[in-house]
Amino acid sequence: MKLLYLSYVNMKETSGPSVNESGFLRGLKNLKYDVNIISGDSTELFNAASSSRILRLIKKIINYISYMFNVLFLLFRKSQVLDNHLLVMRLGPLPIAESLLVYFCRPRFVIKTLGSGNISWNSGLKILDILHLKLYKFLSNKCLVIDTVTELSKTDIIKSLEIKDESMVQVIDNGVDTTMFNSKDKIAIRTSYNLNAYKYILGYTGNYGSVRGAEEAIRATANLNESNINAGCLVLGFDPNQKKLEELSLELGISDKVHFFGSVPFELVPEITSMLDIGFSILPEESSGASPQKVRQYIASGISVISTRGNDNFIEEINCGCLVDYGDMDAINEGVRHIINPEFMLDKKLINNYVNNKLSSSVGIKIRLKFWSKLYGI
């Protein structure tokens, strides 16, 4: 089965979608699949991370236009490409090019990793939002199958896109690339970064930390230090509000114990993540149906987790951390102290088995390929 992969995502970024999709493509390559790729990194211009909103917007527009023209070029290669491949679409805002391709060429295609957030796009212009939803409805009624990461998002997709056959929406959880995220020599890596003086290190390693757990990690670190427990905090990833986090650490009197790494090449994320004792993923209630990639990276790296309730109840099932309600800082501090208690022990064998059998990206890839092969008729 030959695959033609269309994705608006820029694979050269370190955002969640970029990590997911680049990991998925690595998995296909490892399985020796023939994959042609058209993605949002079609142009190198402005690929570097920037704190400027204007530059980020320009970058997105340029990449979107470049991607759209590359997709539309397929209209002239139908017999060469479209007739011989199953199309895999990772949809983004205003899938105009994909819709034109489907309307004129009628290829066989599937929609991968669709979330309710993709559908409920808010452009600021009502007419664009209406067009966006119409295009999604059109594509969803022409595809062979849609996959999404949670049962809650499946329900939202069926309702929002008015899908009559619920069986065409499949739930396949987010996976983690265990070839990158796995247990490493924590002490040696901390030493190489001159961070081996701390007894415990808390933190968040991902983009937009100020709204996804970095603030709570900083506050929990301050709470431990108030009890004379020598704890440090790591915050990694792009965040336009990093200055607010820096001001918070200064206000709490631990600015010398909070280390901001900013954006780094994704190849460095696994080793920096492995320095943590406790990783944070704190999402508001409206995101409770999400399947956080970050949580899976922490667990695969042998790190305990503090996460909000939602789609990660397995955290308590395999006893690798604590679930808390969003905004409950007292519960977060209590969870941290529970984890650092010497009586709290990780069952590494149980956790490794769960990761390899349930959370590894290779599992999701094989499920998808098996299902797509049946749809493709082979």
Side-chain angles (χ1 to χ4, degrees):
M1 178 172 60
K2 294 182 178 180
L3 301 176
L4 175 58
Y5 178 82
L6 308 181
S7 173
Y8 78 101
V9 174
N10 186 338
M11 301 299 175
K12 295 174 182 174
E13 292 183 342
T14 57
S15 65
S18 302
V19 172
N20 288 345
E21 299 313 303
S22 57
F24 173 73
L25 292 174
R26 279 196 303 273
L28 291 177
K29 183 179 180 181
N30 292 338
L31 292 171
K32 310 299 183 184
Y33 267 80
D34 185 355
V35 186
N36 288 322
I37 303 167
I38 298 177
S39 67
D41 58 358
S42 306
T43 172
E44 294 287 339
L45 192 57
F46 293 125
N47 264 329
S50 170
S51 60
S52 167
R53 291 185 179 180
I54 294 176
L55 285 179
R56 293 203 309 275
L57 178 60
I58 293 173
K59 168 188 167 182
K60 288 181 179 179
I61 291 172
I62 290 174
N63 278 336
Y64 175 81
I65 293 173
S66 175
Y67 166 68
M68 185 170 68
F69 276 106
N70 275 281
V71 173
L72 290 176
F73 184 67
L74 293 172
L75 288 167
F76 306 100
R77 302 178 63 199
K78 182 178 185 300
S79 59
Q80 293 175 284
V81 179
L82 297 181
D83 291 343
N84 302 314
H85 291 74
L86 174 67
L87 268 66
V88 181
M89 295 187 183
R90 179 70 158 87
L91 298 177
L94 284 179
I96 296 172
E98 295 93 332
S99 298
L100 289 172
L101 187 67
V102 169
Y103 181 81
F104 286 108
C105 298
R106 299 180 181 178
R108 289 177 291 184
F109 73 100
V110 298
I111 298 175
K112 178 185 175 293
T113 320
L114 184 62
S116 53
N118 301 103
I119 300 169
S120 59
W121 183 54
N122 183 10
S123 67
L125 293 174
K126 188 174 182 180
I127 188 170
L128 287 183
D129 295 344
I130 293 173
L131 175 60
H132 171 84
L133 184 58
K134 284 185 177 295
L135 293 175
Y136 266 73
K137 286 182 178 179
F138 169 74
L139 290 170
S140 66
N141 283 289
K142 297 293 183 181
C143 71
L144 296 172
V145 70
I146 297 169
D147 72 62
T148 187
V149 296
T150 69
E151 289 291 342
L152 182 58
S153 60
K154 174 180 177 177
T155 301
D156 288 342
I157 289 167
I158 291 170
K159 181 178 178 181
S160 301
L161 300 181
E162 300 173 358
I163 294 174
K164 296 179 180 179
D165 183 4
E166 297 185 6
S167 66
M168 71 172 292
V169 184
Q170 300 290 318
V171 176
I172 303 176
D173 199 356
N174 266 333
V176 58
D177 186 346
T178 52
T179 64
M180 298 187 72
F181 291 90
N182 46 59
S183 295
K184 295 177 171 57
D185 190 335
K186 189 189 299 284
I187 295 176
I189 296 174
R190 284 185 180 179
T191 301
S192 68
Y193 281 90
N194 294 318
L195 294 173
N196 55 339
Y198 298 114
K199 186 172 184 180
Y200 304 107
I201 296 181
L202 284 56
Y204 175 86
T205 53
N207 293 329
Y208 304 103
S210 58
V211 293
R212 296 179 180 177
E215 178 181 339
E216 289 80 1
I218 291 171
R219 291 187 183 277
T221 302
N223 181 265
L224 290 180
N225 279 281
E226 286 173 4
S227 300
N228 294 318
I229 298 173
N230 185 22
C233 183
L234 304 184
V235 179
L236 178 148
F238 168 77
D239 191 339
N241 297 314
Q242 178 174 309
K243 188 174 181 180
K244 291 182 179 179
L245 294 176
E246 293 172 353
E247 290 172 352
L248 175 64
S249 63
L250 185 64
E251 177 187 326
L252 295 173
I254 58 167
S255 58
D256 59 328
K257 295 178 179 292
V258 181
H259 306 272
F260 294 93
F261 282 77
S263 296
V264 301
F266 184 66
E267 294 74 23
L268 295 178
V269 175
E271 71 172 26
I272 295 173
T273 298
S274 70
M275 289 192 281
L276 299 176
D277 292 296
I278 304 175
F280 283 65
S281 177
I282 309 297
L283 299 174
E285 290 182 9
E286 57 266 27
S287 301
S288 62
S291 178
Q293 179 70 229
K294 193 53 50 191
V295 169
R296 285 137 183 79
Q297 292 173 358
Y298 293 148
I299 295 172
S301 301
I303 296 162
S304 299
V305 181
I306 299 287
S307 180
T308 36
R309 303 181 195 281
N311 196 49
D312 294 325
N313 294 334
F314 64 84
I315 288 173
E316 292 185 340
E317 178 185 337
I318 59 176
N319 194 32
C320 64
C322 296
L323 294 173
V324 298
D325 292 323
Y326 181 76
D328 192 343
M329 199 62 222
D330 289 338
I332 291 173
N333 288 331
E334 184 179 334
V336 169
R337 289 174 184 269
H338 170 72
I339 291 171
I340 67 173
N341 189 314
E343 294 182 2
F344 177 81
M345 298 289 290
L346 294 175
D347 187 334
K348 293 183 179 180
K349 184 177 180 180
L350 172 66
I351 293 171
N352 286 338
N353 286 339
Y354 192 90
V355 168
N356 292 329
N357 295 327
K358 297 287 184 69
L359 301 183
S360 172
S361 58
S362 62
V363 175
I365 290 171
K366 290 176 182 176
I367 292 173
R368 284 188 175 93
L369 291 174
K370 184 177 181 180
F371 196 65
W372 293 348
S373 295
K374 288 181 180 179
L375 292 172
Y376 198 60
I378 63 173

